[in-house]
Amino acid sequence: MSSPASVPDRPAAELNLGEQVTINKPATTSDTRGGADSSVMIGMYDVQKHFGDLHVLKDINLQVPSGQVVVVLGPSGSGKSTLCRTINRLEPIDSGRIEIDGVELPAEGKALARLRADVGMVFQSFNLFAHKTILDNVTLGPIKVKGMRKAEADKLGMQLLERVGIASQRDKLPAQLSGGQQQRVAIARALAMQPKVMLFDEPTSALDPEMVQEVLDVMTSLAKEGMTMLVVTHEMGFARRAADRVLFMSDGEIVEDAEPDAFFDNPQSNRAKDFLGKILSH
Amino acid sequence: MDFSFLSDDRYDFLGAFWMNVQLTFWSAIGALILGTVLAAMRVSPVPLMRATSTVYVNVVRNIPLTVIIIMMSQVLYTQLGVQLATRGERGFLATNNFRLAVLGFVLYTACFVAEAIRSGINTVPPGQAEAARAIGLRFTQVLWLIVLPQAFRSVIAPLANVLIALIKNTTIASAIGVAEAALLMNTLVENEADKYMAVFLTIAVGFIILTLPVGLLLGWVAKKAAVKR
Ligand SMILES: Nc1ncnc2c1ncn2[C@@H]1O[C@H](COP(=O)(O)OP(=O)(O)OP(=O)(O)O)[C@@H](O)[C@H]1O
Ligand SMILES: [Mg+2]
């Protein structure tokens, strides 16, 4: 097969330009791969990212083993969202390498779209498709990306809606649901793609306080089932209870990387102490 | 006022207005398709497509429509020999002129459709496209399944204005001899010089009858279709 070399890294190029897009690294399957890195689900190597002059991700190196739940903390503007968004390439990086389950993210096109389906993402503002019913929100990906039959997708969709406790709302539009319900639908929508990794960018920050717990409960149960998760959140309770690991970011760097109890009880850097002081004092 | 010309067999009012309706119908369909394509190009990640669309819209919408329509006939047909009907068939010239006029209207009106849709696309929160990309949809799917359906709902009212302008603009087809209402009006003005007022009123009312329901209907549809957020 005459497959051309990798396609140049073009920012924001999402249009499918044909089949000539290849994954940069030979795709390895889990049974041929073996070795120490076989369990690394998210791998970031020397990742750099700028917005103009602003250096938002500085030399990020991060390996998240399969099944680990990582909470990312840090002050506003420290690059937490950007970190999240580069992992499924909603935001292109300047240099470095990002791998999901050992496969490097392709630059663009069909291959990228396919790999993205392996990475579920939940946004602060839910972003449910406003013109589609709750069930259609969940089934759209399986039908259009995976080519699943509608009947099968509906069945899967209902299972997931039941699991997040909103099956009875299936025919409503997103705007008719509360924020907490919408966010649970958004989680179901991401899960419908059977992702290997779930990214959460402040999933409860836009919610009324009484709705935070219902979303955290869904996330906690996901974590218990062994989903690999990277969660940006200010919910310290969740971080302590559900996380295996806490990353503290500041100015585009991962400043601390520790187990939750170690981080909260005994932060090493001044920046983390500062941050915790502010967060915990109110 | 003397409206006696209305019952005069020499003047086919219904036929003339029917011609405007047909011009509008085909031009609207064509303009909607081309306009959507132009708007899609405008938001595409490929710089060349964006540039092409921008240049097209900014050039074509600034040419007077009369010039475009006459160019269709004089340049495209007479000079370059582009025919849109089969020569020798009955009514070749009428059909050819009709289609040339439709082509001109499509090329021109598409600019306004594209601008309307683009502004509609801008009303769709960026998070919608982002969520769609995040579940693995490709650019064309994101556009077609998520962004455009929401954009269209918010552009029904502006598109109604474009359509009303198009209905009135079809009178310019008379410049290349298409037998529509404005051409009939010219004939009447010559033949019935004493009835100016009545002639103008008739034509004006005819157009109001065509445009008013369009505005009302689409205004109602626009309200119904609005996306709730
Ligand atoms: N699209 C963009 N263009 C330019 N600058 C950006 C863009 N997105 C983010 N930034 C900047 O990059 C920096 C990091 O942003 P990011 O959203 O990753 O921070 P964050 O840690 O998620 O903050 P917050 O807690 O407020 O969500 C900020 O200074 C922000 O202003
Ligand atoms: Mg953020």
Side-chain angles (χ1 to χ4, degrees), chain A residues 24-224:
Chain A
N24 296 351
K25 194 181 134 176
T28 48
T29 56
S30 38
D31 38 57
T32 60
R33 203 152 25 85
D37 77 330
S38 68
S39 66
V40 174
M41 191 53 88
I42 307 172
M44 301 181 77
Y45 307 94
D46 309 321
V47 171
Q48 308 282 353
K49 167 80 188 170
H50 290 80
F51 283 121
D53 288 338
L54 189 66
H55 200 170
V56 266
L57 293 182
K58 297 176 184 159
D59 205 23
I60 299 289
N61 280 286
L62 171 68
Q63 278 113 48
V64 179
S66 181
Q68 195 172 60
V69 177
V70 181
V71 161
V72 183
L73 299 173
S76 180
S78 55
K80 306 180 298 292
S81 295
T82 310
L83 179 83
C84 240
R85 295 161 53 85
T86 56
I87 293 175
N88 64 355
R89 223 169 192 294
L90 281 179
E91 209 66 79
I93 55 177
D94 301 338
S95 65
R97 204 168 85 245
I98 298 178
E99 293 178 1
I100 299 297
D101 201 12
V103 180
E104 180 162 353
L105 285 180
E108 58 182 84
K110 260 193 191 144
L112 173 61
R114 207 175 302 130
L115 218 71
R116 254 194 201 137
D118 285 344
V119 184
M121 178 135 186
V122 175
F123 302 86
Q124 181 174 350
S125 49
F126 330 133
N127 296 346
L128 291 182
F129 306 133
H131 62 307
K132 296 212 172 275
T133 65
I134 296 310
L135 183 59
D136 286 347
N137 261 276
V138 179
T139 58
L140 185 80
I143 292 172
K144 297 293 177 184
V145 177
K146 295 196 158 170
M148 196 182 275
R149 303 251 304 273
K150 184 165 187 326
E152 202 185 332
D154 281 353
K155 206 171 129 216
L156 171 70
M158 284 312 291
Q159 277 169 9
L160 288 165
L161 287 179
E162 250 149 48
R163 168 171 179 181
V164 297
I166 9 188
S168 60
Q169 319 281 337
R170 53 175 287 176
D171 295 321
K172 291 196 177 162
L173 287 171
Q176 296 170 287
L177 267 56
S178 74
Q181 290 174 320
Q182 288 191 52
Q183 195 60 301
R184 285 184 280 150
V185 176
I187 295 173
R189 175 176 68 180
L191 290 177
M193 298 306 292
Q194 280 146 347
K196 296 174 176 169
V197 178
M198 287 281 285
L199 308 173
F200 296 81
D201 189 3
E202 303 202 27
T204 57
S205 299
L207 297 178
D208 293 337
E210 73 270 20
M211 292 170 187
V212 168
Q213 200 51 48
E214 65 192 48
V215 172
L216 291 180
D217 286 346
V218 172
M219 291 168 60
T220 307
S221 81
L222 257 184
K224 288 212 179 91

Side-chain angles (χ1 to χ4, degrees), chain B residues 127-151:
Chain B
Q128 294 284 307
E130 239 164 40
R133 287 160 66 202
I135 58 171
L137 295 172
R138 284 174 281 116
F139 172 73
T140 44
Q141 293 179 310
V142 173
L143 203 61
W144 192 248
L145 297 172
I146 304 300
V147 177
L148 283 180
Q150 296 185 48

Side-chain angles (χ1 to χ4, degrees), chain B residues 94-168:
Chain B
T95 311
N96 195 43
N97 282 342
F98 175 84
R99 292 183 181 164
L100 285 168
V102 167
L103 180 61
F105 291 134
V106 168
L107 295 177
Y108 178 78
T109 311
C111 299
F112 298 92
V113 172
E115 287 298 282
I117 292 178
R118 188 166 72 99
S119 71
I121 289 176
N122 288 339
T123 68
V124 180
Q128 294 284 307
E130 239 164 40
R133 287 160 66 202
I135 58 171
L137 295 172
R138 284 174 281 116
F139 172 73
T140 44
Q141 293 179 310
V142 173
L143 203 61
W144 192 248
L145 297 172
I146 304 300
V147 177
L148 283 180
Q150 296 185 48
F152 272 125
R153 290 162 204 235
S154 66
V155 295
I156 294 172
L159 282 183
N161 291 333
V162 174
L163 183 58
I164 288 169
L166 172 64
I167 294 174
K168 295 183 290 178

Side-chain angles (χ1 to χ4, degrees), chain B residues 10-40:
Chain B
R10 286 177 300 165
Y11 310 127
D12 181 6
F13 280 91
L14 280 182
F17 277 109
W18 178 237
M19 186 61 81
N20 291 91
V21 171
Q22 292 180 73
L23 284 167
T24 303
F25 180 78
W26 296 113
S27 306
I29 291 177
L32 194 61
I33 295 170
L34 181 58
T36 305
V37 171
L38 286 168

